[in-house]
Amino acid sequence: MSVNQFLKPITTEVNEKGHISIGGCDLADLAKKYGTPLYVLDEETLRGICRDYKNAFKDYPNIKMMYASKALCTSAVVRILDEEGFGFDTVSSGEIYTVYKSGVDMSKVLFNGNNKTRKEIELALDLKVGRFSVDNFYEAELLNQIAEEKDLNVDILLRLTPGIECHTHEYIQTGQIDSKFGFDLTQVDEITDLIVNKYKNLKLKGVHAHIGSQIFELKSFADEVEILIKEIERINKKFNLKLDEMNIGGGLGVKYTEEDCPPDVKDLADVITEAMHKHSVEIPVIYLEPGRSIISTAGVTLYTVGSSKTVNIDSKIKRYVSVDGGMADNPRPSMYQAEYLAEGVNVSALSNRVKEKVTIAGRYCESGDIIINEIELPKPQAGDVLCVYNTGAYNYSMASNYNRVEKPAMVLVKSAQSDIIVNRESLEDLILHDNIPDRLRK
Ligand SMILES: *Cc1c(COP(=O)(O)O)cnc(C)c1O
C-alpha cells in the first residue's frame, strides 16, 4: 500500500491515555498547547509518500519529481520536500519566493499558470527558475520579450490540453477541450512555429499537461501519456526538433473517506512506464507533479466543539454540532461538496457515549459552512476536540480571513516532538495592511 491509500497519517495510534496520537504527539495535548483550530502535519507520512513515489519509479531512470506547491506551500514543507529530492511546480510570485527563500536550487523549479504577469515573469527570470510552462500565445510573446530585454534564453514546455475527460469534480478537471488552461492540439503547430522561427529567446524542451485532480482511474494517465508521446513524435518530425521532456502533471487521488479507493502509486508508475515502452521514441525525462497525494494524508485539523442545535424537520431530527473553524480554514466542502472523516480525539472517554448522527457545522456566517454532512459519532459535547483527517492539501493553501478570523497555526509532528511551522495569526495581523485616510482619522 502507498501512503495516499491511507485515510489517516501512518503514525496515527491510540495512546496509553486513550487519546489519538499522531507522530507520537497526543492530539488533546496539542490542542491544549497550541489552541484550536490547529493544522497538524505528520513528517513521517509526508516523507513516506515521497519515498513511495521514488521507489515506484526507480526503474524509470529519468523521472523528475516536482511537488505541486499550490497544495500546501510553507517554508518548512518546502525544506522537507527539498530534502527528499523533489523539485517544485509553482504558480505565483509568492510560491516562487517561498521556495527561493527556503534555499532550493531554482533550476529545479517550474513556473506554471494561465495568466502569469510581467512582474511575476521578471521575478522568475531574475531568480533563475528552471522551466516555464507556456500556457498561451499572449504569454509566449510576453515571455520572449522580457527574456530579450534581459538577454536570457528560457527553457520552456508547452502546456497542452489533451482533451481527456477524467471522472472527477468539474471544477478540478483541467484536461478537457473547453478548459481555460493550455493550447489545444489544433494550436500546437502554430505556437511551435512561432517559437522555432520568431521567439528566439525561447527554447522548447517538451510538453506539459495536467488532466485533473483526485483521479482514481489510472487509464486517464495512460491515455494522457499516449497523446503526449504522439504529439512529441509529430512535433519532432514536422519541425525537425528533439524534444525530450514530458511533464504529465499531478492528479493522483487520496482517501478522504472509507468509500474512497485511490490507486497505489506503484500501479500509477506501471501504467505510465508501460505506455512509454509502447513507443519507440526515447523520452529521457518525465516530470511528475503530484500535490494532493503528497501532502493531503499527512495533515489533520483539530477543532473544539462549541454549540449544538437540534432541528425537527417533518419528524426527522437533524443535529448540528458547531466547531471553532470551518469554511475559512477548509473551503473544500462548500466549494466542491468534498467529504471528510472526523473523530473525537479522546477515544476512551467517548467509548461509553451513545452514537448519534450529527452534522459538523463551521463557525462562519454562511449556511453552506458545513464541514461534514451527517456522520455517526459518539455524542459530541462542548469542549470535545475533533480531528478531521486528510486536510493537508488545499486547506491552509486555500484558507481565507472570512469573517475577519485569524488563520490557524500549523505544527509539524515527529517522534513525539511538535514544532510550530506557521504561527497563528493575531488580531494585529488582521489589521496590519489596513490604512485609514487622514480625513477619516479620529
Ligand atoms: C494542481 C496542479 C497539479 C497538482 O495536482 P494534484 O491533484 O494536487 O496532484 C499539478 N500540475 C499542475 C499543472 C496543476 O495545475
Side-chain angles (χ1 to χ4, degrees):
M1 250 172 101
S2 54
V3 168
N4 64 309
Q5 298 179 298
F6 286 76
L7 205 162
K8 303 174 183 180
I10 59 174
T11 61
T12 307
E13 321 177 308
V14 176
N15 66 14
E16 66 287 351
K17 281 196 206 155
H19 295 173
I20 297 172
S21 86
I22 292 176
C25 294
D26 185 315
L27 296 186
D29 291 349
L30 292 181
K32 202 180 284 168
K33 182 169 177 188
Y34 300 103
T36 58
L38 182 70
Y39 296 113
V40 179
L41 195 68
D42 182 42
E43 187 168 334
E44 238 179 274
T45 302
L46 174 52
R47 290 189 189 271
I49 187 70
C50 292
R51 287 166 194 170
D52 286 343
Y53 266 104
K54 284 184 282 185
N55 287 334
F57 285 92
K58 66 179 186 307
D59 295 330
Y60 193 88
N62 267 330
I63 189 85
K64 290 207 180 179
M65 296 300 306
M66 312 282 281
Y67 169 61
S69 313
K70 73 175 190 278
L72 174 63
C73 184
T74 81
S75 305
V77 167
V78 171
R79 287 298 329 123
I80 292 171
L81 285 152
D82 190 36
E83 281 188 10
E84 292 295 335
F86 277 57
F88 296 85
D89 162 49
T90 59
V91 293
S92 68
S93 297
E95 287 183 359
I96 291 171
Y97 190 68
T98 307
V99 167
Y100 171 74
K101 290 296 266 188
S102 307
V104 170
D105 167 2
M106 296 304 280
S107 70
K108 289 167 58 176
V109 176
L110 175 130
F111 188 18
N112 179 52
N114 66 307
N115 194 19
K116 306 173 182 84
T117 65
R118 168 174 268 271
K119 216 168 142 189
E120 287 177 315
I121 291 173
E122 286 177 349
L123 180 80
L125 289 175
D126 291 344
L127 296 182
K128 307 270 182 293
V129 161
R131 292 279 180 285
F132 277 68
S133 178
V134 172
D135 188 277
N136 51 68
F137 290 102
Y138 171 80
E139 180 191 338
E141 180 164 1
L142 180 63
L143 179 59
N144 184 67
Q145 187 190 327
I146 300 171
E148 201 179 330
E149 288 163 20
K150 292 182 181 287
D151 197 18
L152 293 169
N153 286 327
V154 193
D155 290 330
I156 65 165
L157 306 178
L158 281 186
R159 172 75 184 261
L160 306 183
T161 308
I164 293 169
E165 307 225 357
C166 51
H167 297 274
T168 185
H169 193 286
E170 67 174 305
Y171 290 0
I172 50 178
Q173 276 185 3
T174 48
Q176 77 282 20
I177 289 290
D178 64 355
S179 164
K180 72 166 182 168
F181 298 105
F183 296 96
D184 71 52
L185 299 181
T186 64
Q187 300 172 315
V188 173
D189 284 357
E190 188 184 348
I191 184 66
T192 306
D193 185 55
L194 282 167
I195 292 164
V196 170
N197 295 311
K198 186 167 171 212
Y199 298 147
K200 296 294 179 199
N201 296 64
L202 305 187
K203 305 293 162 213
L204 186 57
K205 310 289 281 186
V207 297
H208 178 200
H210 168 73
I211 54 174
S213 203
Q214 186 61 357
I215 298 169
F216 286 8
E217 265 180 72
L218 292 177
K219 183 163 184 310
S220 307
F221 291 103
D223 294 347
E224 180 195 5
V225 168
E226 193 80 5
I227 291 170
L228 293 185
I229 295 178
K230 281 200 183 128
E231 208 49 30
I232 286 183
E233 287 175 327
R234 205 185 58 73
I235 299 171
N236 281 346
K237 203 162 160 197
K238 178 155 186 181
F239 292 91
N240 195 23
L241 292 171
K242 284 205 175 72
L243 304 189
D244 59 1
E245 296 186 11
M246 189 167 106
N247 183 333
I248 58 180
L252 186 65
V254 300
K255 189 176 177 73
Y256 286 112
T257 66
E258 292 295 351
E259 288 74 46
D260 289 337
C261 296
D264 194 309
V265 174
K266 265 209 185 72
D267 296 328
L268 172 70
D270 286 348
V271 162
I272 291 171
T273 42
E274 203 173 292
M276 297 300 294
H277 291 318
K278 269 202 254 164
H279 286 259
S280 53
V281 63
E282 286 278 319
I283 298 176
V285 180
I286 299 184
Y287 292 92
L288 225 64
E289 293 173 327
R292 187 191 310 273
S293 59
I294 294 291
I295 201 77
S296 183
T297 320
V300 304
T301 307
L302 305 183
Y303 299 105
T304 303
V305 172
S307 63
S308 30
K309 166 180 179 174
T310 305
V311 274
N312 197 329
I313 321 154
D314 300 335
S315 71
K316 211 181 146 244
I317 301 264
K318 181 156 185 166
R319 189 164 167 79
Y320 287 101
V321 171
S322 294
V323 296
D324 54 356
M327 65 185 289
D329 58 79
N330 182 1
R332 294 189 65 257
S334 44
M335 245 168 112
Y336 311 126
Q337 301 95 43
E339 295 184 16
Y340 285 93
L341 174 75
E343 279 184 315
V345 307
N346 192 341
V347 176
S348 58
L350 299 172
S351 59
N352 43 26
R353 289 197 209 157
V354 288
K355 285 196 167 182
E356 63 173 19
K357 206 180 254 179
V358 296
T359 288
I360 313 282
R363 51 85 38 91
Y364 294 90
C365 301
E366 289 279 331
S367 295
D369 177 26
I370 301 294
I371 300 174
I372 300 173
N373 196 20
E374 309 230 304
I375 179 174
E376 185 116 331
L377 286 177
K379 194 178 167 93
Q381 291 172 7
D384 285 354
V385 176
L386 284 187
C387 173
V388 176
Y389 292 101
N390 242 297
T391 61
Y394 305 113
N395 272 233
Y396 177 72
S397 69
M398 286 186 162
S400 76
N401 289 114
Y402 183 49
N403 286 185
R404 207 71 160 168
V405 174
E406 312 94 300
K407 282 184 201 157
M410 189 179 300
V411 296
L412 183 68
V413 293
K414 188 194 183 188
S415 314
Q417 196 186 323
S418 62
D419 295 291
I420 288 265
I421 57 170
V422 179
N423 283 302
R424 186 176 300 281
E425 283 182 345
S426 65
L427 294 176
E428 283 307 313
D429 289 334
L430 291 176
I431 58 168
L432 188 65
H433 300 287
D434 288 4
N435 183 47
I436 302 177
D438 281 342
R439 68 191 163 76
L440 296 178
R441 278 181 196 274
K442 200 169 167 186

